[in-house]
Each structure stands twice: as C-alpha cells, then as structure tokens.
Amino acid sequence: MNNLETANSKPCQYYEYSNRESVVTEWDLVCDNVAKKSNIQAALAFGKFFGGLLFGSISDVYGRKFAFNLSAFIYMLSGPSAAFIDSYVLFLIARFLIGVAGSGIYESSYTILTELTSGKTRTLLCLLMNMSYPIGYVLLSIIAYYVRPWRILLLVLSLPIFGLLIQCWFLPESPKWLISQGRKKQALIIMAKLVPTVVGANTDNDDQDNVQIKKTKKCNGKCMEFLSAYTLLFSTSDLTAKTVISSFCGLSCGLSYYVIALNGDNITANRYVYVALNGVVEGVSYAFTVPLLLYVGRKKAVSSFFFISGILQLILLAIPREKAYILLCVTLIAKFFVSALFSIIILFVSELYPTTIRNTGIGMSLTFSQIGSIIAPYIVELLGGKAWYIPSTVCGIFGIFVSSMVLVLPETKKAVLSNTLEDIKNTNSIKFSNCFKF
C-alpha cells in the first residue's frame, strides 16, 4: 500500500456476515473492534485471576466446603445468565463471574481431595480429577459443531452446572482443615463416616483448642486473618522462594496452555477439529501422568516437561507455515506436555505448603496462571496477526527459563503433608545446597 492509499484509507464501518450466530456478529467485533473479541476471553481469565486470590484465602479461613458452596452459587447464577444478556459490558461481567466461580470450585474441591487422600491414592485421584477438562474439551467441540447459535450454545453448556447441587450437599469438609482450626471433634466425626474404623479419640484438649482459636480470631479479626493467609506465603525465605517459583510455573503453564488453545487460526487449522484434537491430546496426557508420577518424582517431571514443551514451541520457528499438518503435529505434541504440566503442578504445589495455607498457595499459583490466560488472547490476536510464530516463541523461551527455576524446589513424592509452618521446616523445605540434584 503506497502513501496515497494510506492517506485515503478509512476504517471499515459497514459489515456483512454470512450468518449471525456468534458474539462477533452480535456486537460487530471486527476491524477496529477486534480487540473486544479478546476481551471476552480475558474477562473469563481475569475472573479466574480474582477468584484464585479470593477463594484461596476464603478456603483457608472459612473452610473448603464453604468456599465450594459459595463458588457453586455464583456459577449457577452467572452461567445461564450470560446466555440472555444483550449488553456487551454486562456479558463481560457475567464472564468475569463465571471465571471467579470456576477458580473457587476447582481450588476448594482439589484441596479437599488432596487432604482426604495420601500416597499413591492422592496421586491417582488428583490426576484423574483433571480428566474432566479433556472430556469437556471434546464435548465442547462436538456440541458447538451442531449448536451454532451462541446463546443456545451457552445455555446448553450451562445446564450441567446445576449438578453441583449434589456436591454442595454431600461434599465433606476437610478433616485436616478442621484439625488446623482446633475443631478435632468435628474432624473425627467426618473421618468416622469416611473410615468406619476411626471411632473415638482423645478429645480432652478440644475445648482448650477451640477457646484459643476463638481468642485469636477475636483479637485479629476476620479481615486480618483473611489477609494474613497471603502474608504467610512470604513469611520465610523458604516459603517466599516456593511462592515465587510456583507463581512463575503457573504463569508459564497458563500462557502456553491458552496460546496453544487459541492459536488454531494462526496455524491454519480447522477450528472444530483443532479444539477436538486438543481435548484428545489433553486426555492422553493426563492418563500418561498417572503411571509416570507413581515412579518419577514431581520435580523431575515438572522441570523436564517445561523444558521439552519450550523446545517444541521454539521448533515451530523452523517449520514453514505452508506445512500446516507438520505445524499441527508439533503444536499438539507441545500441548501434550503443557497439559501434563497443568495437572502435575497443582499436585506439586499442594504438597509444598502446610494445611494452614495450602489452598492459599494453590490459589496464588492458579492466579498467576490466569495472568497467562489473560495475556494469551492478546498475544494470539495482536502479535500473532503480525507474525504467526510470535506467540509460540514467547511461550517457548519462558518455558525453558521456568524449567531451571523448578530445580530449586524440594521433591515431595512420598512426603507427608505438613499441617503447620513449623512442620514444613522439618520436612520439605528448600535446601539450596541440593537444589540442582535431579
């Protein structure tokens, strides 16, 4: 385009669509408004970011089940509502609330599962819990293919949310959290229901513990207790290092995960096939991590997978864009390792922290993963529009960098979950003299 054409060019003002069945055509998210399309994904990601911070602390202060029930209520309210909203701004708010609720439900339920199990059972069940993601991925591509009007699609996808009412009723509170709050009698009642052989216990100190807990809460106030859950993440050099590294892990994983998920158009792939293949690859990766973590340490797996996924995303630079099938294959292999990372990291992080701040630690890592997912659509839409390889290159370099940081963390395989800050000093604290031992 020469200078004269540039001077006479005008922004497009009139649009003609082949159909009116998407949010793009509903609010004309094209031309100068193309960034608004990224805002829809960013609103969901920002909701998860806020939900990770909010419900991480709520869960540690008020209980895992309370956090789950509150998240489920927000989910059931905002999910179906999004299908009936005519305003673009209100739609973004609904998406934001869906993200908030999604983080709260995932964090609290994952933490309960972690604290109710141990050893190989914990590894198996926590990894299998993530299988809901690839199953949903594949179902989404199938349902979206046949249900094209976006409002009806949102409504159909929102209906399973009401199944959470079953979990709200039957989900038990975490006994480890109850014990950490001095409520040993309630913890024993729940444990007796789960394990019938657990009957009776020494509860002589229950009243004394509860009185001390109440005095502490009365003195500090709920607000200070809420905030202290986050300040404790940086209360020692050991916890600070763990929090910083786990946050970088979440950021890198979230960025790579969503860049690959949203980058289908930039590698010239059919979007329905691309989404379905992403779901299949993700399911296989989760199944692969189950036997892997039974025999391989968490640290070794996380560091290796970050490095491999980073290298694979950099390899895309050497592949001509015309070779779409090769690009697709390499991208899906990278997605395999990134998805595996997603399931391993949460388990790894949950074992790094004591019960008193475990959900806050998980929430911090998930919060930073949502920063990655907030940035991802803009990288794909804006930078990817200038050069298709920029998104994968950014993710590849960052992934290799994070793989080296993970080597500082302690190995947690077969480690007993710590209950207090004092316990963690004697179990899985960082020992910098051994930080690069694989």
Side-chain angles (χ1 to χ4, degrees):
M1 181 179 290
N2 57 38
N3 293 335
L4 180 61
E5 290 175 324
T6 303
N8 294 332
S9 64
K10 296 180 180 179
C12 55
Q13 298 176 348
Y14 305 100
Y15 323 106
E16 183 176 345
Y17 305 107
S18 59
N19 62 73
R20 305 281 303 183
E21 297 178 340
S22 72
V23 292
V24 174
T25 59
E26 179 87 13
W27 289 300
D28 294 324
L29 306 183
V30 295
C31 299
D32 292 341
N33 293 327
V34 69
K36 290 185 177 181
K37 183 170 68 172
S38 297
N39 291 345
I40 294 175
Q41 173 62 27
L44 180 70
F46 189 70
K48 291 182 178 180
F49 168 87
F50 183 78
L53 285 174
L54 179 67
F55 283 101
S57 189
I58 285 177
S59 181
D60 283 335
V61 174
Y62 296 98
R64 307 345 186 177
K65 185 170 183 177
F66 175 82
F68 181 91
N69 290 348
L70 179 58
S71 302
F73 173 76
I74 297 174
Y75 220 156
M76 287 183 281
L77 181 66
S78 58
S81 299
F84 300 100
I85 292 174
D86 291 326
S87 167
Y88 172 76
V89 174
L90 292 179
F91 182 72
L92 292 183
I93 293 174
R95 294 278 291 176
F96 171 81
L97 292 175
I98 291 171
V100 171
S103 280
I105 286 175
Y106 183 79
E107 286 177 28
S108 52
S109 57
Y110 194 96
T111 304
I112 289 176
L113 184 59
T114 300
E115 295 176 346
L116 285 176
T117 55
S118 62
K120 292 183 178 180
T121 303
R122 182 196 305 149
T123 302
L124 178 64
L125 294 181
C126 287
L127 293 177
L128 288 179
M129 176 181 167
N130 289 317
M131 287 299 292
S132 58
Y133 274 84
I135 293 172
Y137 229 135
V138 175
L139 289 177
L140 172 62
S141 62
I142 295 173
I143 295 172
Y145 183 80
Y146 290 102
V147 184
R148 297 300 177 92
W150 72 272
R151 293 186 183 278
I152 298 177
L153 176 62
L154 278 184
L155 193 59
V156 170
L157 296 175
S158 297
L159 293 178
I161 292 175
F162 293 94
L164 293 173
L165 290 170
I166 300 174
Q167 284 93 324
C168 289
W169 185 263
F170 290 104
L171 190 70
E173 182 55 271
S174 166
K176 290 183 75 67
W177 179 82
L178 290 170
I179 292 173
S180 72
Q181 299 296 302
R183 295 156 61 178
K184 297 178 183 177
K185 192 171 183 179
Q186 289 178 259
L188 288 170
I189 291 173
I190 293 176
M191 291 170 66
K193 292 179 181 179
L194 298 173
V195 185
T197 55
V198 179
V199 291
N202 183 6
T203 59
D204 294 340
N205 295 324
D206 282 357
D207 293 337
Q208 182 179 351
D209 290 337
N210 285 326
V211 169
Q212 184 61 39
I213 293 286
K214 289 178 181 178
K215 284 182 178 179
T216 302
K217 290 181 178 179
K218 184 177 179 180
C219 178
N220 296 331
K222 281 291 184 182
C223 183
M224 291 302 297
E225 186 181 0
F226 183 87
L227 294 174
S228 67
Y230 283 99
T231 58
L232 286 174
L233 293 178
F234 302 93
S235 59
T236 66
S237 59
D238 173 67
L239 287 172
T240 299
K242 289 178 179 176
T243 301
V244 170
I245 295 171
S246 63
S247 297
F248 270 98
C249 287
L251 177 61
S252 177
C253 191
L255 183 64
S256 293
Y257 184 91
Y258 284 97
V259 162
I260 292 174
L262 298 171
N263 207 30
D265 290 340
N266 284 334
I267 61 172
T268 64
N270 180 287
R271 63 181 59 184
Y272 294 103
V273 173
Y274 185 76
V275 171
L277 288 175
N278 269 261
V280 171
V281 168
E282 188 165 337
V284 173
S285 72
Y286 290 163
F288 170 75
T289 57
V290 173
L292 175 71
L293 290 190
L294 293 178
Y295 302 101
V296 178
R298 278 61 155 145
K299 182 170 76 170
K300 182 184 293 186
V302 170
S303 181
S304 299
F305 283 12
F306 265 123
F307 183 80
I308 295 172
S309 66
I311 292 296
L312 286 170
Q313 290 179 87
L314 291 178
I315 287 176
L316 293 175
L317 283 168
I319 303 174
R321 192 178 183 185
E322 294 74 24
K323 298 186 179 297
Y325 289 107
I326 298 178
L327 283 174
L328 179 61
C329 289
V330 175
T331 300
L332 290 177
I333 296 172
K335 174 63 182 289
F336 175 91
F337 288 101
V338 172
S339 298
L341 273 170
F342 185 83
S343 62
I344 298 172
I345 285 174
I346 303 301
L347 176 61
F348 191 25
V349 171
S350 71
E351 296 173 339
L352 289 173
Y353 293 99
T355 301
T356 50
I357 56 171
R358 178 169 295 117
N359 210 91
T360 305
I362 293 175
M364 180 66 77
S365 180
L366 288 176
T367 295
F368 272 82
S369 75
Q370 296 314 316
I371 294 177
S373 63
I374 291 171
I375 299 171
Y378 297 102
I379 291 179
V380 172
E381 293 285 348
L382 302 179
L383 298 182
K386 294 181 179 180
W388 67 270
Y389 53 80
I390 292 179
S392 57
T393 302
V394 171
C395 294
I397 294 173
F398 194 34
I400 294 172
F401 169 71
V402 173
S403 70
S404 63
M405 296 182 68
V406 173
L407 296 175
V408 177
L409 296 173
E411 180 55 65
T412 60
K413 184 184 178 185
K414 297 182 180 180
V416 178
L417 291 182
S418 305
N419 286 323
T420 65
L421 295 176
E422 187 63 32
D423 292 341
I424 207 168
K425 296 178 182 178
N426 305 318
T427 53
N428 61 349
S429 61
I430 292 177
K431 296 179 176 58
F432 289 97
S433 59
N434 299 321
C435 63
F436 289 104
K437 286 186 177 180
F438 225 52

